[in-house]
Amino acid sequence: MLTLRFLLAVLHLFALAIGIAAVYGRARALRRVRSTADLPAVFLTDNWYGIAALLWLGTGLWRAFGGLEKGTDYYLESHWFAGKLGLFGIVLLLEMLPMTTLIRWRKALKKGQPIALERSTLLARLTWLQVPLLLLMVVTAAAMARGL
Ligand code: HEM
């Protein structure tokens, strides 16, 4: 049990390291898009962001509701946890357009279809906006873990 708790805690923090690097990298890569030759760099960082998101969700939900840490009731009664999930929801909302657009771009690139690259500026902005929210999530996480 302790090993599983430890492992999930490590993976949750790995997600943080991977996710912050990936979201920052994707914002930079999107800002630099001039032609379709620049897209693989965007897709690579997007892949890593996706991996981080899955790790965050998988390990986070398991820790919160799998009875491994402080128990489901503790988290459901914590305002910090509610705040953390609220921030996660906003990040998800901000991510809807980049996620769906990049899925379409991947398909279009494979088929050699035209891509509206001028959208990359908006996608970069939506990606940047997620960074402070993720950092705020770290604040809420540390507060929630210590029962503040
Ligand atoms: C739905 C998604 C998530 C859920 C359900 C979740 C849940 C949890 C839980 C249950 C803990 C253990 C707290 C404890 O020790 O009592 C935790 C810790 C932590 N989470 Fe998350 N998490 C999620 C996403 C994230 C994200 C996106 C970030 C960062 C941006 C993050 C950052 C952290 C950090 C830094 C800790 C360690 C806190 C500490 O021990 O000081 N989590 N999370």
Side-chain angles (χ1 to χ4, degrees):
M1 194 73 151
L2 184 64
T3 320
L4 181 61
R5 260 178 74 188
F6 168 71
L7 207 72
L8 290 178
V10 169
L11 287 177
H12 202 64
L13 292 178
F14 273 178
L16 176 59
I18 296 168
I20 293 288
V23 76
Y24 174 76
R26 197 183 75 183
R28 270 176 69 101
L30 277 165
R31 224 181 37 192
R32 292 175 176 187
V33 168
R34 300 285 176 271
S35 73
T36 50
D38 299 317
L39 289 180
V42 175
F43 296 153
L44 180 69
T45 50
D46 188 55
N47 289 345
W48 281 109
Y49 198 29
I51 290 169
L54 289 178
L55 261 183
W56 262 325
L57 261 179
T59 56
L61 292 175
W62 197 345
R63 293 178 84 190
F65 304 119
L68 292 171
E69 301 280 350
K70 301 176 177 80
T72 302
D73 289 348
Y74 174 89
Y75 297 110
L76 291 181
E77 282 161 21
S78 161
H79 297 310
W80 291 108
F81 184 68
K84 190 176 169 191
L85 287 192
L87 288 166
F88 196 72
I90 301 173
V91 169
L92 268 184
L93 283 180
L94 289 170
E95 183 56 17
M96 292 315 281
L97 190 70
M99 186 174 67
T100 51
T101 309
L102 291 178
I103 289 172
R104 266 188 280 114
W105 283 10
R106 283 173 196 263
K107 286 184 190 155
L109 192 68
K110 268 192 197 140
K111 292 182 186 162
Q113 292 168 343
I115 296 174
L117 291 177
E118 62 281 359
R119 288 218 112 185
S120 57
T121 312
L122 173 63
L123 299 189
R125 283 201 192 116
L126 290 172
T127 305
W128 276 124
L129 278 175
Q130 295 175 37
V131 176
L133 297 176
L134 290 172
L135 294 179
L136 268 180
M137 284 188 76
V138 175
V139 177
T140 56
M144 133 192 132
R146 279 147 199 87
L148 295 185

